[in-house]
Amino acid sequence: MKPVLFAVAFFITLSLQRSLRHRDQADFSAPLRFEKDGTFQISIFEDLHFGENAWDAWGPQQDINSVRVINQILDAESPSLVVLNGDLITGENTYLENSTTYVDQIVGPLVERGLSWASTYGNHDHSFNVTGATILARERRWPNARTAQMVSGEDAGVSNYYLPVYDPRCASTDKCAPQLILWFFDSRGGWRYQQKDANGDKVGQPDWVDVGVVNWFLQTNAELTNKHQKVMPSLAFVHIPTNASLALQEAGVDGHRQPGIDDDTPLAQQAQGWCPDGRDDGDACAYGGQDVPFMQAVTTMPGLMALFSGHDHGDTWCYKWEGVLPGMTVAGNGLNVCFGQHTGYGGYGSWERGSRQVLITQAQLKEEKAVDTWIRLESGNVVGRVSLNATYGQDKYPETPNTKTSCPTCNYTVVTPMPGTKRKRTVRGPGGL
């Protein structure tokens, strides 16, 4: 089976490279800019999970299904940027020799349309045979990739960087202040690349944004603010949600005020299954609190409007985080925390696949520091359309229907906990949940 899979991956890569040679390419080294009409739309694809069950016919079929979803979403929407928000690949199921070739299948529809993209990496992107660094190297083979690594160090992770977005009339970025800043973070998790302990077991990796990255975030934002003498509106993306998302979920998700699916209860947050002293021991500790510095940073960052996560496939809501929640020490400042929609056919769950859309307009940023968002489903339907403005959380919206994908051989069932840990694992199962 492996030679067949290698041949398929080679053919896809070769076809994409030929397409690049035979069409005009945008200058992806140029800065991001709002469109001429003052809009900037982001399509978020999360939890694609390519490479699952790579050794049989079932697995590659799921990758084909996922490419179909990406194409259908992009046929219906017109994003200025695509964000791949973690778990691009199910690293546990891949071979060392071919792990990163799945990137070529993921980005194929984007390359064909001349779209650029930016990624965060998730826990399944860090495994024994693949890690964020190897995925980044593969992404950077394509001129469309904007994923970067701005923080070095073994514990920093990889996908920590920012992208400025400028006014379309800006002739020189040296003379213009960004109109919007997009922040990307690596929440890590999974396994250390090619490492085993004295017992021959794989070595787990922390699953939160490292404090060194938090310090970089605060310092870099301060430098940008000082340079441009203004607070710039911003959005942030990270794969694993913080403990604030769990506290908000436990406070109660209202289907009309926080429309979306709320099936992953309790959700899996950063530092789940770690102890406060740093031990990876899910039997002894439910949550270690190591994401507190990151939560403090995002709630004290002027101009940050929303934080978008994935990881929990059955949660698709947005919630305005205000005040101190039960069990929390960090006070929310009105930051909106949002989930996307499970996009890939890999990974657990039978919820209809789709993609969260985020529309930013220069007029809205100037008037009220708000963004609009909705979810485009594989069926073509749009659900959960809301405005993340000053009154979000008070305004009432239609409930989001909990539609499922009708494919008896395509779905995964979640099983929790894993033996010896409180973390989730997924196992193959027909028909969904």
Side-chain angles (χ1 to χ4, degrees), residues 10-27:
F10 175 78
F11 175 77
I12 292 171
T13 301
L14 184 62
S15 299
L16 286 172
Q17 289 172 339
R18 286 172 176 168
S19 74
L20 282 172
R21 288 198 297 268
H22 291 291
R23 68 176 186 82
D24 293 333
Q25 284 291 296
D27 181 7

Side-chain angles (χ1 to χ4, degrees), residues 167-185:
D167 185 283
R169 298 163 295 182
C170 176
S172 172
T173 57
D174 292 334
K175 300 179 181 179
C176 304
Q179 301 291 297
L180 176 71
I181 300 290
L182 305 176
W183 296 96
F184 301 85
F185 299 98

Side-chain angles (χ1 to χ4, degrees), residues 149-158 160 188 192 205 210 213:
Q149 182 178 14
M150 292 185 178
V151 186
S152 60
E154 182 180 2
D155 292 327
V158 177
N160 300 293
R188 304 178 295 161
R192 299 274 188 186
Q205 180 169 225
D210 183 66
V213 174

Side-chain angles (χ1 to χ4, degrees), residues 102-114:
Y102 292 104
V103 169
D104 300 343
Q105 298 180 55
I106 295 169
V107 306
L110 315 182
V111 173
E112 291 291 339
R113 289 170 171 80

